[in-house]
Amino acid sequence: PVCCGKGWVRLMPDSNGLRKEAELIIDTCFSVEEDDVVTIIHDDSRVKEARELAEVAVDRGAWPVLMNNEIQVRRGLADTHFPMVPPRNLHKAMTSSDEIIIVTNLEWANRFAHVPAVKESCANNAKIASVEPGMGEWGLTLDQIDAATERARDAIRALEGATKIRMTSPKGTDVTITIEGRPPLEITPIKKRGQMMGPLPLWSEVAYAAVEDGTDGTVVVDGVMLGIGLPGQVENLITWTVEKGKAVKIEGGDEAERLRNVIDGVENSTVIGEFAFGVSDIAPFGTPSEKGRVGTAHLALGDNHLAYPGGQNVCKLHLDGVILGASLEILDNGTYIVRDGEWAL
């Protein structure tokens, strides 16, 4: 892809580029080995990418199975309350696999990460991740993957023993998040067995289960807001007023109203369940991948018990809101992770 302002201009992939980047996913990101059982979940929009991944896996001596989940993906995108949990046959395929590769609409895949089948697959020592769109167009290098991974590890070291983070942004975010006692989750493109699901290969982030009653302040979402049917960033700011870990007010325009309607009546959906920030300098803005971009941070309403170590909030929803141009200060010692959207470590 070619970077242009806040987004990426797509180039037409050639067959050699598609094959090369499928090999990157199979060989580098997943390290698929001979006789591995590989389940590839896809939708109608990404059949070509899924088939290419399967072809590479077969060439490595693995046993890939393609599973088309188009109906659930389409229904889930149209209705946030449509069940995300996979049917029994897909659930069993996942928990019986060495690698699970999800090649679907990325927003749906992000929400799918918060289902029991994913947690059980991790407990079974599988490797699991979703693949971002644009295979054959990324032009990604191993140096870029290594740089994001190093940032993640630098941040985790800096946050060791930290209890509170202050997040601010130019649009008005000013919120304190408690992470005391919560282990970090490193989500980078080189997957490890048992590691929680995340997108790859452009995206990288560090995430925590926010202490459920320990977030206070104002959150202004000005990037992507998942779960309300937006193709990209919000057009009107969504402002959350957070007290003792719960969003007691959600204000703004049409997008805020949609978010209120989605969470209305859903148990524990106002709880701030996740705090995370991006460490990749190539994840594209204007898509769910921006959650992994340096300079963005995000908080999520809803569940944190399935995906994040130490999380205790149980909810059928997990909805991320992105803050652009963030500053993140470790209040315990005054260290900044990012400052005014720039990496500071």
Side-chain angles (χ1 to χ4, degrees), residues 10-175:
R10 283 198 161 189
L11 305 177
M12 291 300 292
D14 58 61
S15 57
N16 290 334
L18 187 65
R19 173 73 185 195
K20 181 180 178 181
E21 293 187 342
E23 290 174 343
L24 173 75
I25 297 299
I26 295 296
D27 296 334
T28 301
C29 297
F30 279 93
S31 303
V32 173
E33 298 179 350
E34 186 175 359
D35 286 331
D36 279 1
V37 173
V38 183
T39 296
I40 301 173
I41 304 168
H42 67 93
D43 57 19
D44 284 356
S45 70
R46 303 189 63 191
V47 173
K48 186 174 182 180
E49 294 161 275
R51 285 185 173 276
E52 194 68 33
L53 289 166
E55 292 285 355
V56 175
V58 166
D59 289 347
R60 302 306 185 254
W63 298 95
V65 174
L66 291 163
M67 303 192 77
N68 188 322
N69 204 27
E70 167 67 21
I71 302 302
Q72 189 182 19
V73 173
R74 178 158 41 85
R75 293 288 295 275
L77 290 171
D79 178 4
T80 306
H81 290 175
F82 188 82
M84 293 299 299
V85 293
R88 186 173 63 250
N89 56 350
L90 180 52
H91 185 130
K92 289 183 176 180
M94 292 172 65
T95 56
S96 301
S97 298
D98 297 297
E99 289 88 26
I100 302 133
I101 306 176
I102 300 169
V103 195
T104 65
N105 173 278
L106 192 57
E107 176 177 339
W108 183 87
N110 287 348
R111 287 161 47 202
F112 185 71
H114 304 276
V115 299
V118 171
K119 187 172 185 178
E120 290 177 33
S121 298
C122 293
N124 287 344
N125 217 28
K127 295 180 182 179
I128 179 169
S130 56
V131 177
E132 292 165 286
M135 187 189 300
E137 309 164 19
W138 297 323
L140 186 63
T141 68
L142 293 180
D143 285 345
Q144 291 170 318
I145 290 176
D146 289 342
T149 302
E150 281 306 306
R151 284 193 201 96
R153 293 173 182 172
D154 287 345
I156 288 169
R157 283 190 289 268
L159 285 159
E160 186 174 357
T163 62
K164 289 186 179 292
I165 309 296
R166 183 186 181 198
M167 180 195 302
T168 58
S169 77
K171 295 293 177 67
T173 294
D174 193 344
V175 63

Side-chain angles (χ1 to χ4, degrees), residues 165-169 173 175 177 205-206 219-224 240 274-279 285 290-300 320-329 337-338 341:
I165 309 296
R166 183 186 181 198
M167 180 195 302
T168 58
S169 77
T173 294
V175 63
I177 308 113
E205 70 171 56
V206 174
V219 179
V220 181
V221 176
D222 56 343
V224 168
W240 308 349
E274 177 199 4
F275 155 67
F277 54 91
V279 295
F285 287 103
E290 75 179 20
K291 294 195 299 169
R293 181 70 176 245
V294 167
T296 73
H298 60 276
L299 297 172
D320 299 291
V322 177
I323 297 92
L324 304 175
S327 294
L328 298 173
E329 180 187 5
I337 301 167
V338 291

